[in-house]
Amino acid sequence: MSNTSTPVLGSFVRLADLAPDEQLLVHGSWNAAERAYIPLSKFPVGAALCACNERGVSKNFFGCNVENRFMSCVICAERNGMTSAVAEGYNDLQKIALVLKLYQGPGASPCGLCRQVLIEFGRDAVVFQAADPERNVWRYLVRDLLPAASGSLRALADLEVSDRRQIGRLLKLAARAYTPYSKKPAAALFTAFNAAGVFKVFAGVSDDNASYGASASAEAVAMRTARTAGYVRQPSLMLMVDDPKALNPVEGESLQVLREFGTGSSVTLVGADGSSVCSNIGELLPDSFGPESLV
Ligand code: THU
């Protein structure tokens, strides 16, 4: 069965029309998926990438998903492959092929965390995402996975009083952040309705950890507090970012957490001076991997 009519990121390219080295990566990703360690999900994912070292020499690396009985210790295929490359000194990502072996429809794309790791090493790298069991692909660039918000920048003074107040609260809240390692205090406000139709605002601040990877972003704290309280409907997120108009304004992991609340969330990006841009999860995490992908 082929999913060629399904609209996803990028353009459809037949396996036979790819360059020989690219075909090799595609086959490598399917082979890597065979080695997936997946006692939890039984959902094999494979990645094969080409990266260059400092001398411009290129080499291929492979990754599969490696699961753990503690979910937060699971690593995806793409990150596994990329970190293997870095461990050998090949930090300059050129091309990556990936396959979600059981599913090639919309959202058969890297998750937010993998997007964040890939963009660190090659924003202009080419992605070949499996499009069907015949190994044809969707082709796009890594930077397409974490784009800038398209909305216009609004000055704080031009906003309505209620929005100004909320942004003021957000910026003040950042003083409570615990950021001894990142030195980037940030805050987030997540608003949603509960099943009874009650609307509430949940706050979060960034919470660093000496092990770095165990740190929580402000927005993740806010979203998870809301879920704990049962507020998951019509979500909207407001958060502090370095530059509301930049590429990749929000950490990929945070977008992946927001994605779990559905595909309709609005996101307001707020700079340190209170200027803001309105966006949404569909724009910031296009063709996202989500619960529907795990069918
Ligand atoms: N997974 C990946 O390896 N890459 C992705 O981009 C999406 C998800 C893995 C993680 C987990 O082992 C399983 O697929 C289900 O999410």
Side-chain angles (χ1 to χ4, degrees):
M1 198 194 70
S2 162
N3 295 305
T4 52
S5 60
T6 320
V8 288
L9 260 176
S11 49
F12 181 81
V13 186
R14 300 209 159 274
L15 177 69
D17 295 333
L18 292 175
D21 66 304
E22 296 167 352
Q23 292 191 26
L24 208 65
L25 284 180
V26 170
H27 294 308
S29 67
W30 283 82
N31 291 340
E34 295 292 325
R35 299 188 284 275
Y37 177 72
I38 45 175
L40 296 183
S41 70
K42 311 270 188 285
F43 190 78
V45 183
L49 62 93
C50 173
C52 288
N53 67 9
E54 267 183 359
R55 288 177 288 126
V57 178
S58 67
K59 188 174 168 184
N60 290 352
F61 295 87
F62 305 91
C64 58
N65 46 339
V66 178
E67 297 190 342
N68 190 282
R69 72 192 176 95
F70 292 106
M71 299 271 286
S72 61
C73 296
V74 172
I75 185 162
C76 295
E78 302 91 314
R79 270 179 290 151
N80 190 3
M82 190 65 235
T83 51
S84 303
V86 172
E88 285 195 36
Y90 290 75
N91 291 20
D92 186 5
L93 177 65
Q94 304 287 313
K95 300 175 179 182
I96 178 165
L98 73 116
V99 57
L100 274 57
K101 212 156 182 197
L102 301 183
Y103 173 76
Q104 286 102 44
S109 55
C111 76
L113 289 77
C114 289
R115 295 178 188 210
Q116 194 61 60
V117 169
L118 296 179
I119 207 167
E120 179 85 12
F121 297 105
R123 59 176 56 188
D124 296 326
V126 187
V127 182
F128 303 101
Q129 176 184 316
D132 55 36
E134 287 77 51
R135 305 194 177 188
N136 301 312
V137 298
W138 297 101
R139 182 172 58 195
Y140 51 85
L141 301 180
V142 165
R143 63 163 184 260
D144 299 333
L145 290 166
L146 290 167
S150 63
S152 52
L153 194 68
R154 303 169 311 165
L156 191 59
D158 297 340
L159 299 180
E160 286 182 19
V161 180
S162 59
D163 290 338
R164 275 213 303 269
R165 229 180 253 145
Q166 204 179 19
I167 289 179
R169 182 183 168 200
L170 178 84
L171 297 177
K172 254 213 308 259
L173 201 62
R176 288 199 203 138
Y178 173 70
T179 55
Y181 315 107
S182 70
K183 313 266 194 285
K184 273 189 170 186
L189 296 171
F190 181 78
T191 52
F193 293 84
N194 70 4
V198 180
F199 172 82
K200 204 169 160 181
V201 184
F202 295 86
V205 294
S206 26
D207 183 34
D208 280 5
N209 188 279
S211 147
Y212 283 34
S215 303
S217 67
E219 54 277 15
V221 172
M223 289 187 273
R224 290 185 149 141
T225 309
R227 183 175 293 285
T228 307
Y231 287 70
V232 298
R233 300 180 181 199
Q234 287 176 256
S236 81
L237 177 66
M238 174 182 275
L239 76 166
M240 288 172 59
V241 299
D242 291 341
D243 178 356
K245 284 302 294 174
L247 180 82
N248 184 198
V250 179
E251 179 189 338
E253 177 173 356
S254 302
L255 295 170
Q256 189 64 43
V257 173
L258 182 60
R259 169 65 178 83
E260 207 68 25
F261 290 84
T263 51
S265 310
S266 70
V267 181
T268 306
L269 310 172
V270 180
D273 63 354
S275 60
S276 61
V277 173
C278 287
S279 183
N280 57 74
I281 186 70
E283 175 171 74
L284 298 175
L285 194 72
D287 193 39
S288 54
F289 179 83
E292 302 82 5
S293 314
L294 288 173
V295 287

